[in-house]
C-alpha cells in the first residue's frame, strides 16, 4: 500500500557537520532523539566509534541508506567503464563498502552507473555485468542489503550512462532478464535529474513505479545559458522546484505506486551555522508537500 515516509539526506542538508566525527556523532544523537524521520540517507559510516554510537541510537523504524557514488567518483572508479581493471576495482570497492554497511544493518546501498564513454550502450552492458556480480555476491553473503540505483543526468552535467528514462528502462529490462527485481534493487527518483534529462515527470514515475522506493525533491536551473545549469543541489529559491511541484510529484506517485516511498529534500548546505536552520525549513517543506 502506498504511503509516505520522511527522510533526511544528512550528507547534503547537514554537510558541514559530517566532516568531523564528533560533530557527526552529535548530529545522529539529535536526529534520533527528535525521531522525526523514518529514513536516514548519508555517507557510509566507517569510524568504529561512530558505528557503535549509531547502532546504540538507531530506532527499529529507521531505514538507513548509504551512498558511495561520490566515493567511487573521487577514487576515479566506474562500474560501467570499458577499462576492465578499473571496473573490477569499482566492484571490489562496492563489496568492501557493503561489508562496512552491514555493521550498522544498512537497508540500501546507493550507487550510480558512472559517466558515458564512447559507447553508452556498451557502458550500459558493463554496468549490468557489475550489478549482476554485486547482487550475486550480496546473496551469497546473505547481507540482506538492496542496491539503490540512482539515474543521474545523462546529457547536462554529470553525463551518466543510466540517466534518461530510456536508458533506465533498458537497465531494468536487462536486469529482469537476469532474474533481478525489486527484491534485490530499487531506484532513487530525483526530480533534478529527471528535469535535466528533459523527461516528463508523470511518464517517468509511471514507467518506473515498480522500482521507485525513494524520491528526492531536488532543484535545478534548466536554462542552458545560465551558469547554474546542471545538478548542483541548489536551494528552492531559483529553478523549478517549489511546493506545488513537490505536491504534484507525490500525487503522481500516489497514482502509480503501490508501496511505501521515502521522501527527502536534496539541498546542500555550505554554512555550518545554518545547517539546522535548513533542516527545519526542509522538514516543514516535506510536511506541507506530503499533505496531498
Amino acid at each position: 500500500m502506498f504511503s509516505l515516509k520522511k527522510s533526511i539526506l544528512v550528507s547534503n542538508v547537514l554537510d558541514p557537520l559530517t566532516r568531523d566525527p564528533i560533530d557527526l556523532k552529535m548530529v545522529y544523537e539529535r536526529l534520533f532523539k527528535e525521531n522525526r524521520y523514518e529514513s536516514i540517507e548519508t555517507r557510509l559510516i566507517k569510524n568504529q566509534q561512530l558505528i557503535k554510537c549509531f547502532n546504540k541510537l538507531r530506532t527499529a523504524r529507521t531505514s538507513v541508506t548509504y551512498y558511495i557514488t561520490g566515493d567511487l567518483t573521487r577514487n576515479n572508479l566506474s562500474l560501467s567503464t570499458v577499462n576492465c581493471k578499473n571496473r573490477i576495482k569499482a566492484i571490489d570497492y562496492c563489496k568492501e563498502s557493503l561489508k562496512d554497511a552491514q555493521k550498522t544493518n544498512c537497508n540500501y546501498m546507493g550507487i550510480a552507473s558512472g559517466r558515458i564513454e564512447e559507447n553508452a550502450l556498451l557502458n550500459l552492458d558493463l554496468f549490468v555485468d557489475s550489478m549482476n556480480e554485486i547482487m550475486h555476491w550480496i546473496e551469497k553473503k546473505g547481507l540482506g542489503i538492496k542496491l539503490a540505483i540512482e539515474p543521474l543526468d545523462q546529457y547536462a552535467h554529470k553525463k551518466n550512462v543510466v540517466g534518461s528514462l530510456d536508458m533506465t528502462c533498458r537497465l531494468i529490462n536487462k536486469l529482469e532478464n537476469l532474474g533481478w527485481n525489486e527484491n534485490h534493487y530499487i531506484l532513487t527518483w530525483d526530480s533534478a535529474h529527471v528535469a535535466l534529462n528533459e523527461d516528463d515527470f508523470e511518464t517517468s514515475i509511471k514507467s518506473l513505479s515498480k522500482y521507485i522506493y525513494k524520491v528526492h525533491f531536488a532543484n535545478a536551473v534548466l536554462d542552458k545559458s545560465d551558469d547554474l545549469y546542471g545538478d548542483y543541489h541548489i536551494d528552492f529559491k531559483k529553478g523549478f522546484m517549489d511546493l506545488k511541484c513537490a505536491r504534484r510529484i507525490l500525487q503522481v506517485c500516489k497514482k502509480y505506486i503501490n508501496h511505501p516511498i521515502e521522501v527527502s529534500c536534496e539541498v546542500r548546505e555550505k554554512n555550518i551555522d545554518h545547517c539546522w536552520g535548513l533542516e527545519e525549513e526542509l522538514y516543514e517543506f516535506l510536511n506541507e508537500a506530503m499533505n496531498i
Side-chain angles (χ1 to χ4, degrees):
M1 181 181 295
F2 178 78
S3 64
L4 299 171
K5 298 182 177 182
K6 293 187 187 72
S7 181
I8 179 169
L9 277 156
V10 173
S11 50
N12 282 268
V13 179
L14 303 172
D15 184 38
L17 295 172
T18 66
R19 306 299 177 174
D20 182 274
I22 295 175
D23 287 339
L24 190 52
K25 178 176 180 289
M26 293 174 66
V27 164
Y28 289 132
E29 287 174 341
R30 178 167 173 171
L31 288 174
F32 283 117
K33 181 180 180 180
E34 293 179 350
N35 199 26
R36 303 206 293 182
Y37 299 97
E38 294 177 83
S39 164
I40 285 179
E41 304 175 59
T42 189
R43 298 185 188 95
L44 179 61
I45 300 175
K46 296 182 180 181
N47 181 285
Q48 293 304 308
Q49 292 303 115
L50 270 178
I51 288 172
K52 290 179 182 178
C53 171
F54 192 89
N55 285 335
K56 184 178 180 180
L57 293 167
R58 183 181 177 184
T59 59
R61 77 171 190 151
T62 310
S63 168
V64 175
T65 303
Y66 294 128
Y67 288 95
I68 61 169
T69 304
D71 292 339
L72 289 168
T73 301
R74 282 186 288 274
N75 285 287
N76 196 31
L77 297 174
S78 172
L79 292 163
S80 60
T81 181
V82 297
N83 183 322
C84 185
K85 289 183 179 180
N86 183 288
R87 192 170 67 86
I88 290 171
K89 286 182 179 179
I91 292 170
D92 289 342
Y93 189 95
C94 289
K95 291 176 181 178
E96 290 302 313
S97 297
L98 285 159
K99 288 179 187 177
D100 286 333
Q102 190 189 32
K103 296 174 184 176
T104 48
N105 297 309
C106 164
N107 301 91
Y108 303 105
M109 177 67 79
I111 56 172
S113 59
R115 289 178 70 90
I116 296 171
E117 295 172 323
E118 291 184 12
N119 185 332
L121 293 179
L122 174 57
N123 289 139
L124 178 63
D125 286 339
L126 292 168
F127 182 62
V128 169
D129 288 347
S130 297
M131 294 299 93
N132 188 42
E133 179 173 341
I134 293 169
M135 287 190 283
H136 271 302
W137 184 85
I138 290 171
E139 281 199 334
K140 181 180 178 182
K141 296 293 183 180
L143 298 186
I145 299 173
K146 295 182 183 180
L147 296 180
I149 301 172
E150 183 169 10
L152 302 188
D153 69 87
Q154 194 166 329
Y155 314 107
H157 183 183
K158 295 175 180 174
K159 297 180 170 60
N160 262 229
V161 177
V162 177
S164 68
L165 178 58
D166 174 64
M167 288 296 269
T168 306
C169 288
R170 287 173 185 260
L171 170 69
I172 290 171
N173 289 336
K174 288 174 182 291
L175 290 176
E176 285 183 345
N177 287 338
L178 292 170
W180 304 113
N181 54 39
E182 71 276 15
N183 295 315
H184 309 99
Y185 75 96
I186 64 163
L187 295 178
T188 298
W189 191 94
D190 183 297
S191 56
H193 302 156
V194 177
L196 287 166
N197 287 323
E198 300 181 11
D199 284 322
D200 176 73
F201 280 9
E202 181 159 358
T203 303
S204 175
I205 292 168
K206 179 181 180 181
S207 301
L208 306 175
S209 59
K210 179 180 175 182
Y211 289 94
I212 296 172
Y213 279 75
K214 290 179 173 294
V215 169
H216 290 175
F217 292 144
N219 195 19
V221 172
L222 303 179
D223 180 356
K224 295 178 182 178
S225 66
D226 195 299
D227 289 341
L228 276 178
Y229 175 69
D231 183 28
Y232 292 106
H233 303 168
I234 60 174
D235 60 32
F236 298 164
K237 295 173 184 175
K238 179 180 180 179
F240 69 87
M241 177 54 64
D242 56 18
L243 196 56
K244 182 179 179 181
C245 178
R247 281 180 176 155
R248 176 57 182 156
I249 288 169
L250 294 185
Q251 287 167 348
V252 174
C253 287
K254 185 177 181 179
K255 182 177 178 181
Y256 295 111
I257 295 175
N258 298 314
H259 51 255
I261 59 172
E262 299 170 359
V263 186
S264 59
C265 296
E266 188 165 2
V267 177
R268 187 176 301 282
E269 181 57 72
K270 296 179 181 178
N271 180 0
I272 194 168
D273 295 323
H274 187 245
C275 287
W276 290 108
L278 178 63
E279 183 271 332
E280 183 63 33
E281 291 172 20
L282 296 180
Y283 181 81
E284 290 305 318
F285 185 93
L286 282 177
N287 263 340
E288 293 188 48
M290 288 181 174
N291 186 22
I292 58 173

